[in-house]
Amino acid sequence: MKSSASCFFLISFIFLSSPLLVRAATPRSGFVVTVLGARGGILDGNLSAYMIRPAGDDRAVLCDAGTATAGLVAAERAGALDDIAVPPGSGLTRAGYVLTHTIRAYLISHAHLDHVAGLVVASPDDSAKPLYALPATLRDLSQHLFNWRIWPNFGDAGPPPALGKYHYRALTPGRMEQVPDTAMTVTAWLLNHGGIESTAFLVAANGASVLYLGDTGPDAVEGGHRLDDLWRAVAPEVTAHRLKAIIIEASYDDTRADRMLFGHMTPAWVTRALRDLARRTGGPRSLRGLTVLIGHVKYSLAAGPAPQDTIRQELARDAARDGLGDVRFVIAEQGLRLTLD
Ligand SMILES: [Zn+2]
Ligand SMILES: [Zn+2]
């Protein structure tokens, strides 16, 4: 983990060190994705959280917040926050500055604890910001988490008194919203996740975009067509070469039986889903150069190979079988910074 994080740091460092590329006057088309939390259950301190910002712009959104402060501290240690300028006299650590100033909004896919625990425990020292989600997720947060029983009500709805630090912003599937104080827009789509709603977010800026999928199961197992609806909606982003990356889960390896997926994916289901997308965009070659960042790999207490190593090998095999050899698969690791141009 360390070596891949520092390798990416090194690449990003060289990239950002070029005087021609630092803070270009015209907006650059691309994104920086920083992984604050990579695993799906059970490793507290490293749960789904992806900080996304346009290249050359320090105003970010955080897609899910299973881990927040611990992820920022780990990212800082890995050097993955070094390109964010902390004003002298801020009185804050780099992690503290990024939490309270760089992260301008939360995008929460669903209210499972491994996607919100970091947000909840960081809330007393966090800054005020909007929290975007679909209505069912906002209802879960305001009624069952920020409700003065599980945690003080830092939201602006729910059991009084509402402290109002987090401004709940309900998204409508398919309708684009500008994220205030950032250069980004967000558009949400529904996903099926083992009987509850989850969300995919398309984050766009300067003619480029990144697609983040919260937990999801395959359409064929979940019994629906929400993934296919999502592919249909984002296909124009692919054909116009705007989509830089898809962040998607592969919780289990390919030996997992479909009836035991509980609303999650495997490498084989991921590559099959990407094939479905490619069917709408002119074939597998249309995905050439696309980065697919694999997250939510379930941490294992079992001795033996790390699940992410098994999943990396299976992805290579499944992608070759499905004609997706041109897709760049990256396994998410905490502290990894990806520059997507
Ligand atoms: Zn999860
Ligand atoms: Zn979940």
Side-chain angles (χ1 to χ4, degrees), residues 110 112 114-115 193 215 264:
H110 64 302
H112 278 165
D114 58 327
H115 298 256
H193 173 37
D215 294 357
H264 293 292

Side-chain angles (χ1 to χ4, degrees), residues 21 42 45 58 62 82 100 110 118 121 123 128 146 160 171 227 230 232 241 251 262 268 280 290 294 317:
L21 292 170
I42 59 175
D58 285 355
L62 190 62
D82 284 4
T100 56
H110 64 302
V121 297
S123 56
F146 290 120
L171 292 166
L227 266 180
L230 174 65
R232 193 173 53 225
H241 306 290
S251 296
F262 307 119
R280 297 187 172 280
L290 182 72
I294 300 290
R317 183 195 63 202

Side-chain angles (χ1 to χ4, degrees), residues 197-246:
E197 268 181 15
S198 177
T199 315
F201 299 108
L202 183 75
V203 177
N206 308 324
S209 57
V210 172
L211 181 67
Y212 172 80
L213 285 81
D215 294 357
T216 184
D219 282 348
V221 177
E222 295 283 318
H225 43 80
R226 283 177 172 169
L227 266 180
D228 201 48
D229 291 346
L230 174 65
W231 299 144
R232 193 173 53 225
V234 303
E237 293 290 307
V238 176
T239 50
H241 306 290
R242 287 193 296 263
L243 190 70
K244 304 296 178 189
I246 296 175

Side-chain angles (χ1 to χ4, degrees), residues 6 13 26 29 47 53 87 115 119 135 143 150 162 170 172 213 257 268 272 291 297 306:
S6 49
F13 179 78
T26 46
S29 165
L47 301 171
R53 56 197 155 109
H115 298 256
L119 159 71
Q143 290 182 2
I150 301 300
T172 302
L213 285 81
R272 228 171 289 180
T291 296
V297 175

Side-chain angles (χ1 to χ4, degrees), residues 160-182:
L163 298 174
K165 180 177 278 191
Y166 299 126
H167 308 295
Y168 296 136
R169 295 284 178 265
L171 292 166
T172 302
R175 196 168 81 193
M176 188 172 76
E177 302 272 351
Q178 180 72 42
V179 182
D181 297 326
T182 77

